[in-house]
Amino acid sequence: MEKRATELKMALLCIFLSLILGMSAALPQDMSGKMLVFPQQTNSAHVRLTTSRQNLGAVTVCMRYFTDLTRGTTFFSLATPSLFNAFLMDKPSPKNVMYVSVRNVHVDFQGQDFQLNRWQSVCSTWDAASGLVQLWLDGKPSSMKFLTNTNLTGPMLIVLGQEQDTYGGGFDINQSFVGMISDLHMWDSVLSPQHIDYYSQKFTFPAGNVLNWQSIEFHTTGRVLIQKDQS
């Protein structure tokens, strides 16, 4: 009887501690002046980002990255339970091409000036009203291409460092990101060309209202480090 009471107390203590740790992990962090470092190829290490949004009719995602990868890699992966590539930014190997996927359908943007061992900014926009997608690399726009007029709906899970081939999983080491990422922002609208230019030049721009690097909720799994920003 005494042993059972002790086990019950320990179980309650574990639940209490996990709740406290969970609440701590969910608190937004100010990542100003900091970067995420993905130091090795892996099929497990990643960052999960938190958003309460379950309906998006437009998207802009911007980030800065640094890598020496010549193989394909993934920059940003947003999945819902029914769409593992709900909104995806990735680069195949080894061409200067980038894919943007919305609702599991992708378009490719040719002739992009990807450079190794150099900080670059990349932004992608999509608007359900027009169905148009556009890519911006270091503030330079691509041509606009049509993808889909249908909104993104459902619980959204955002991952950095891996591509989701299932909701929250299905990671492939050959699609993993190795390098550094900083200044991630996401909006529920198409950012103006002027503001995208301001972002690329580190001028003042409106912070993301879906993901904001200055107040962002995330959880790291595996070897992902937070270091002083070098961009």
Side-chain angles (χ1 to χ4, degrees):
M1 189 73 176
E2 189 174 325
K3 181 180 178 183
R4 185 174 297 175
T6 302
E7 290 175 347
L8 179 59
K9 287 180 182 178
M10 290 299 296
L12 290 173
L13 178 61
C14 289
I15 292 171
F16 175 75
L17 289 174
S18 64
L19 287 172
I20 294 296
L21 291 172
M23 286 188 289
S24 300
L27 292 175
Q29 295 188 47
D30 183 355
M31 289 288 286
S32 302
K34 299 176 183 178
M35 62 183 181
L36 296 169
V37 180
F38 301 84
Q40 63 187 138
Q41 292 193 135
T42 170
N43 64 355
S44 57
H46 65 283
V47 174
R48 292 192 181 200
L49 303 166
T50 302
T51 177
S52 60
R53 299 300 182 92
Q54 295 198 27
N55 191 335
L56 290 173
V59 170
T60 300
V61 173
C62 287
M63 66 173 66
R64 304 186 203 283
Y65 73 91
F66 185 107
T67 187
D68 65 356
L69 290 177
T70 56
R71 63 160 172 79
T73 192
T74 303
F75 295 103
F76 183 91
S77 174
L78 186 157
T80 66
S82 60
L83 297 166
F84 53 86
N85 286 339
F87 191 89
L88 174 71
M89 298 163 60
D90 69 326
K91 175 186 172 296
S93 172
K95 302 175 183 177
N96 281 337
V97 180
M98 187 161 179
Y99 290 165
V100 177
S101 303
V102 182
R103 297 186 61 85
N104 285 3
V105 180
H106 83 265
V107 290
D108 58 274
F109 295 97
Q110 304 278 343
Q112 300 304 310
D113 187 21
F114 291 105
Q115 299 181 30
L116 302 183
N117 297 313
R118 175 182 176 275
W119 281 100
Q120 293 190 275
S121 70
V122 60
C123 300
S124 182
T125 64
W126 163 74
D127 180 25
S130 64
L132 294 178
V133 178
Q134 194 169 21
L135 181 73
W136 302 73
L137 189 63
D138 290 334
K140 298 175 183 178
S142 70
S143 60
M144 294 181 175
K145 298 189 177 183
F146 178 82
L147 258 182
T148 178
N149 293 116
T150 304
N151 283 20
L152 299 178
T153 58
M156 297 181 186
L157 180 54
I158 299 167
V159 167
L160 302 179
Q162 302 286 345
E163 179 177 338
Q164 299 175 80
D165 288 333
T166 62
Y167 185 63
F171 301 148
D172 181 346
I173 192 171
N174 295 313
Q175 296 173 320
S176 64
F177 178 82
V178 180
M180 293 91 82
I181 288 176
S182 183
D183 285 343
L184 172 67
H185 289 264
M186 180 177 179
W187 298 260
D188 62 358
S189 61
V190 173
L191 212 60
S192 70
Q194 182 183 41
H195 283 140
I196 291 177
D197 182 59
Y198 285 177
Y199 174 88
S200 70
Q201 299 191 58
K202 293 191 173 182
F203 296 161
T204 301
F205 62 91
N209 61 353
V210 179
L211 298 175
N212 176 358
W213 197 244
Q214 282 80 51
S215 179
I216 194 163
E217 297 178 27
F218 66 93
H219 174 75
T220 63
T221 297
R223 187 169 284 118
V224 182
L225 308 174
I226 298 174
Q227 298 286 304
K228 185 178 179 180
D229 192 355
Q230 299 175 349
S231 65

